[in-house]
Amino acid sequence: MTDRDAAPVDPVPDPASMRKQYRAEGLAEADLAATPVEQFARWFRQAATEGGLFEPNAMVVSTADAEGRPTSRTVLLKHFDERGFVFYTNYGSRKARDLAENPHVSLLFPWHPMARQVIVTGVARRTGRDETAAYFRTRPHGSQLGAWASTQSSVITDRDDLDTSYADLAARYPEGEQVPVPPHWGGFRVAPRAVEFWQGRENRLHDRLRYVAEADGSWRVERLSP
């Protein structure tokens, strides 16, 4: 087959021509819960049951190192309450190293099918070892082994190194045998300082309502221009 006979290649879509009209119903101040965590619980419940989302607990975690160089990655939310939002990771990972130098963090929940976003900005602190161990015990056996097998964010020679490490651990800790909690693995809790609820509206005139923490522990709500 010559180049002339090859199947035509579909053109790359033009991002500038991609347009969706967002929902008409909006978000009003009178409809908000008393705290951002209560409001998040309302939206999260809808995202999990009505939103048609693959992983509604997926969030983009953005960190910056001591020199302000940012990085982002998708992580799964594992718990939330009035104290904050919790995720787990290897403490040797890029995100954990960033947070050790600069604990300020942003979380973004991109619930696109619902034309909604939630943006949390706050400060991250490590969870206690008891809390970490309690969560670790709920993970599938394979995920527990994976926490040991991977030196997250480090350079490895190839995939075989990772697979060999996992196989060695699987032989040492077969299914049904307790896997110890890795000392280099654990949680971060992000205590929110501000939480924005973004609802897509027609003509790009979106509703953006943001809770801002006050010194006395209360929350101020402010509307942002889209």
Side-chain angles (χ1 to χ4, degrees):
M1 179 182 290
T2 66
D3 290 343
R4 183 176 298 175
D5 297 326
V9 177
D10 291 336
V12 176
D14 176 15
S17 67
M18 295 178 175
R19 288 183 171 83
K20 295 287 186 182
Q21 189 67 280
Y22 296 142
R23 60 203 296 166
E25 61 268 28
L27 180 64
E29 287 84 344
D31 297 331
L32 292 178
T35 72
V37 172
E38 291 177 32
Q39 182 63 34
F40 179 84
R42 291 180 184 177
W43 272 22
F44 184 74
R45 186 180 301 109
Q46 291 179 330
T49 59
E50 307 167 16
L53 294 156
F54 173 60
E55 286 185 318
N57 61 326
M59 59 185 183
V60 178
V61 178
S62 298
T63 58
D65 63 18
E67 297 180 22
R69 295 172 295 196
T71 54
S72 299
R73 74 290 289 165
T74 302
V75 175
L76 297 179
L77 174 72
K78 289 301 178 181
H79 180 71
F80 68 91
D81 57 25
E82 292 295 338
R83 296 177 298 163
F85 301 80
V86 178
F87 65 91
Y88 291 86
T89 188
N90 187 308
Y91 284 146
S93 66
R94 171 68 182 271
K95 72 179 82 63
R97 295 197 305 270
D98 280 357
L99 291 173
E101 297 175 346
N102 177 1
H104 296 277
V105 63
S106 174
L107 311 177
L108 167 63
F109 294 85
W111 294 332
H112 301 307
M114 306 178 73
R116 286 177 174 176
Q117 300 180 77
V118 180
I119 305 166
V120 179
T121 54
V123 175
R125 297 283 185 263
R126 289 188 181 190
T127 58
R129 292 309 293 174
D130 289 345
E131 184 175 355
T132 290
Y135 170 70
F136 187 80
R137 297 287 173 232
T138 70
R139 303 185 93 207
H141 182 74
S143 297
Q144 293 182 10
L145 297 178
W148 280 101
S150 172
T151 53
Q152 195 175 79
S153 300
S154 65
V155 176
I156 59 176
T157 304
D158 53 35
R159 175 75 192 199
D160 288 343
D161 286 352
L162 184 63
D163 291 340
T164 298
S165 176
Y166 182 89
D168 290 344
L169 286 159
R172 189 184 312 170
Y173 302 106
E175 188 78 44
E177 185 166 331
Q178 184 171 338
V179 180
V181 182
H184 56 268
W185 186 93
F188 281 99
R189 173 175 283 103
V190 178
R193 299 285 178 84
V195 184
E196 177 184 333
F197 292 86
W198 184 101
Q199 174 66 71
R201 297 293 302 276
E202 291 180 331
N203 304 315
R204 299 299 188 260
L205 298 177
H206 315 304
D207 285 325
R208 299 175 59 190
L209 297 181
R210 181 171 63 186
Y211 293 79
V212 179
E214 300 280 39
D216 62 0
S218 64
W219 295 93
R220 180 180 78 255
V221 174
E222 52 193 19
R223 178 174 285 271
L224 305 179
S225 175

